[in-house]
Amino acid sequence: MTFSIVVRSDDGESWGVAVASKFLAVGSAVPAAVAGVGAIATQADANVSYKFLALAHLDDGATAPIALERLLAEDDKRDHRQVGIVDVEGTAASHTGAECYAWAGGRTGPGYAIQGNILAGPEVVEAMETAWLSSAGASLARRLTAALKAGDDAGGDSRGRQAAALLVVKDGAGYGGLDDVAADLRVDDHADPVAELVRLLDLNDLYLTASTDDEKVPVDGALRDRLDERARADGRADFPAWVGAENYEMRVAEDFSWVDRRVLDIIGITPPA
């Protein structure tokens, strides 16, 4: 009762899953991924244990097709399952059981597995594949949400909309660089969940993504004085206190030697020329 896309990035450094469905909190059931191992979506009559079993098989060195074969061999309800897997090398595998409700099917290619059931028609997975293939060069999270939106625009879940989710992993990409979760966003119940997921991704990029070198503006004494002044006008003791209160610590240096251009815009200061 879901459509999803499971991928590895072209550079081989990230893995991700995007999913949408008329199913409450679909992100709690369908996606799983571990950096350097692979990613999976389990849906239709979802067997949520597939997530942990598949990642274990992949971590032991199994390819996506072998991991899928092992999952199905051990499951007497395999005809009711739908699964997409991408392994560490980007090899993809997808399964749609014969008893999945129509329309049900999927497509695979280098680095991606796309699948869905109870869809408006095959045009949903076709649109997702086209969007994925045409978005090379964008970030993995943006490619995933673009594919999800394309599927939604093509009719998506034939029953309607309710939930969507995005999971992207990359070594060291998590908060403070201490885990692999680059994005873990869920829209559990919403009239337009895919659009809401894109809005949350914008916020994720601002609050939970590290600044690039191009976004960093050196902070000299004069700029620091202006930052402190604006922070005090906002009721904070100084700029470091404002950063902590507003949760912008991923976009300011720990020693406050630089600040992100977007933070300067938010606090109302034009970057120095």
Side-chain angles (χ1 to χ4, degrees):
M1 301 167 282
T2 299
F3 55 102
S4 66
I5 175 169
V6 184
V7 304
R8 190 200 73 166
S9 62
D10 293 339
D11 63 10
E13 296 184 355
S14 303
W15 291 257
V17 183
V19 57
S21 179
K22 190 179 185 302
F23 185 89
L24 180 69
V26 70
S28 68
V30 170
V34 173
V37 175
I40 176 174
T42 174
Q43 55 201 54
D45 186 354
N47 184 338
V48 295
S49 70
Y50 275 11
K51 294 186 289 186
F52 314 105
L53 292 171
L55 291 171
H57 290 317
L58 295 176
D59 196 33
D60 283 341
T63 63
I66 294 299
L68 179 58
E69 180 181 323
R70 291 175 182 174
L71 294 178
L72 299 177
E74 300 166 357
D75 190 348
D76 60 8
K77 294 187 68 177
R78 64 183 72 87
D79 286 344
H80 298 265
R81 313 296 193 195
Q82 190 171 53
V83 191
I85 304 175
V86 174
D87 63 29
V88 67
E89 298 296 335
T91 304
S94 185
H95 164 78
T96 298
E99 297 300 321
C100 291
Y101 294 126
W103 186 88
R107 291 190 170 201
T108 61
Y112 68 90
I114 300 168
Q115 47 281 314
N117 62 95
I118 314 187
L119 302 184
E123 62 270 19
V124 177
V125 295
E126 292 167 4
M128 293 174 72
E129 183 180 45
T130 298
W132 169 255
L133 294 174
S134 65
S135 62
S139 72
L140 192 67
R142 296 293 172 180
R143 296 186 72 186
L144 284 166
T145 53
L148 203 64
K149 183 179 185 302
D152 194 47
D153 290 345
D157 189 325
S158 62
R159 302 165 306 154
R161 300 178 172 118
Q162 186 168 13
L166 172 70
L167 175 62
V168 176
V169 297
K170 178 181 179 181
D171 280 337
Y175 184 78
L178 300 177
D179 68 15
D180 69 349
V181 181
D184 185 2
L185 302 172
R186 301 178 183 182
V187 179
D188 288 343
D189 185 31
H190 196 278
D192 193 354
V194 175
E196 177 65 6
L197 187 66
V198 173
R199 186 187 73 84
L200 293 180
L201 180 57
D202 291 340
L203 293 177
N204 184 87
D205 286 349
L206 174 61
Y207 287 105
L208 300 176
T209 302
S211 303
T212 65
D213 288 341
D214 289 342
E215 293 171 323
K216 297 175 181 179
V217 176
V219 176
D220 59 17
L223 179 55
R224 177 57 186 270
D225 288 343
R226 294 178 65 197
L227 289 167
D228 285 339
E229 180 182 353
R230 291 297 178 91
R232 287 191 289 270
D234 203 32
R236 305 298 174 187
D238 53 19
F239 181 62
W242 181 87
V243 169
E246 299 298 327
N247 301 316
Y248 292 124
E249 57 269 21
M250 289 286 284
R251 292 199 166 270
V252 178
E254 288 188 12
D255 61 0
F256 296 93
S257 60
W258 58 261
V259 59
D260 191 287
R261 292 181 180 276
R262 281 190 276 183
V263 172
L264 289 177
D265 183 61
I266 288 164
I267 204 170
I269 293 177
T270 301

